[in-house]
Amino acid sequence: MAGAGRGLVLVVEDEAAIAEVIELYLRRDGFDVRIESDGESALTAWQQLQPVAVILDIGLPGRDGADVCRTMRAAGDWTPVLFVTARDDEVDRLLGLEIGADDYITKPFSPRELAARVRTVLRRTTTPFPTGRPPDDVAPGGEVLSVGDVRVDLGRRRAWAGEVEVSLTSTEFELLAQLFRRPGRVFERDELLSSVWGYQSAAGTRTVDVHIAQLRAKLGETSPIRTVRGVGYAADRDG
Ligand code: CA
């Protein structure tokens, strides 16, 4: 248990060899690691240990990874969840509202990249509270940006569509804030991927599209996000 204080990552993976490699890289990165190999014990460990992040294999004995993540989200827990999946066609569902993962990596993957993504997901979730309940230690009244009828409070990491507060995941918040910092400017997908997710991968631009779709669904008619076909997205004052 010689972690360097970066916190405990729960790794849920039923293939021992893969779990060991993930553990090795995370420990090198200064994380403590707990490995579980099925969905039930993953949920028990999640409740008892309160990990800083969870890496979930999708295919597990018993309750699968999607079920584990859905259970966490239903309980109001927005701990960063990163999926390991062999199937690219599941990605939209995993990142979507129903399951609510933060990121994914497809098998076969580089453990180095996986560890980098855990760091990234933690960096952008240092003050998460998508439930709208600000933690006590967050400074009130941060810088507020608004575009059209949508406002974001950067300090408190809260967003409103008109007078209604919108519950955003930390990733959605970061993406919206990025667009709002320069209204009218068109951000390319690659650019958003590197500024919000902190890495570059051509395949990963789909992640951007999925999260934009979620943001729009949550903001409803007030959404100021414009698609620039073949390029990317912008937040426009005129909607
Ligand atoms: Ca598996």
Side-chain angles (χ1 to χ4, degrees):
M1 300 298 282
R6 294 187 94 153
L8 177 90
V9 177
L10 174 61
V11 176
V12 191
E13 169 62 74
D14 59 324
E15 289 174 68
I18 294 179
E20 281 165 23
V21 173
I22 294 174
E23 176 174 17
L24 178 72
Y25 275 80
L26 288 175
R27 285 196 185 277
R28 262 188 212 169
D29 247 18
F31 292 102
D32 279 325
V33 177
R34 166 71 166 256
I35 295 174
E36 296 294 347
S37 57
D38 67 81
E40 281 300 339
S41 38
L43 285 169
T44 305
W46 155 63
Q47 284 170 329
Q48 288 175 349
L49 304 173
Q50 301 185 314
V52 295
V54 181
I55 296 175
L56 272 173
D57 181 23
I58 184 91
L60 296 168
R63 305 178 69 165
D64 70 10
D67 197 10
V68 172
C69 187
R70 201 184 291 116
T71 303
M72 291 172 59
R73 296 322 189 209
D77 186 309
W78 292 87
T79 303
V81 170
L82 203 151
F83 268 102
V84 176
T85 174
R87 291 175 46 192
D88 222 9
D89 60 349
E90 283 183 320
V91 170
D92 289 9
R93 190 172 70 96
L94 296 178
L95 298 177
L97 290 175
E98 190 213 345
I99 296 175
D102 291 86
D103 202 356
Y104 69 97
I105 192 163
T106 46
K107 289 180 181 176
F109 60 88
S110 133
R112 188 190 305 273
E113 188 186 352
L114 180 70
R117 291 205 188 180
V118 172
R119 282 198 305 273
T120 301
V121 89
L122 288 175
R123 197 159 54 232
R124 65 171 194 263
T125 54
T126 44
T127 55
F129 55 90
T131 55
R133 293 189 308 270
D136 297 337
D137 58 349
V138 173
E143 185 187 354
V144 176
L145 305 176
S146 62
V147 178
D149 289 332
V150 178
R151 282 177 297 142
V152 301
D153 182 328
L154 295 178
R156 295 188 293 167
R157 297 180 71 86
R158 297 171 74 170
W160 293 265
E163 295 308 310
V164 181
E165 181 159 12
V166 182
S167 261
L168 299 178
T169 67
S170 51
T171 305
E172 288 160 2
F173 184 88
E174 228 15 87
L175 184 57
L176 189 63
Q178 182 69 15
L179 296 173
F180 273 37
R181 283 183 185 109
R182 312 252 324 252
R185 181 184 181 287
V186 180
F187 289 88
E188 294 182 15
R189 286 180 177 79
D190 281 353
E191 200 179 352
L192 290 169
L193 197 63
S194 80
S195 60
V196 177
W197 281 262
Y199 57 82
Q200 286 164 347
S201 148
T205 54
R206 194 162 153 204
T207 303
V208 179
D209 298 334
V210 173
H211 280 87
I212 288 280
Q214 284 170 213
L215 269 177
R216 280 181 168 143
K218 289 185 176 182
L219 297 174
E221 286 178 0
T222 61
S223 169
I225 301 171
R226 175 168 59 102
T227 301
V228 182
R229 208 165 288 283
V231 183
Y233 300 97
D236 284 346
R237 293 197 186 281
D238 301 329

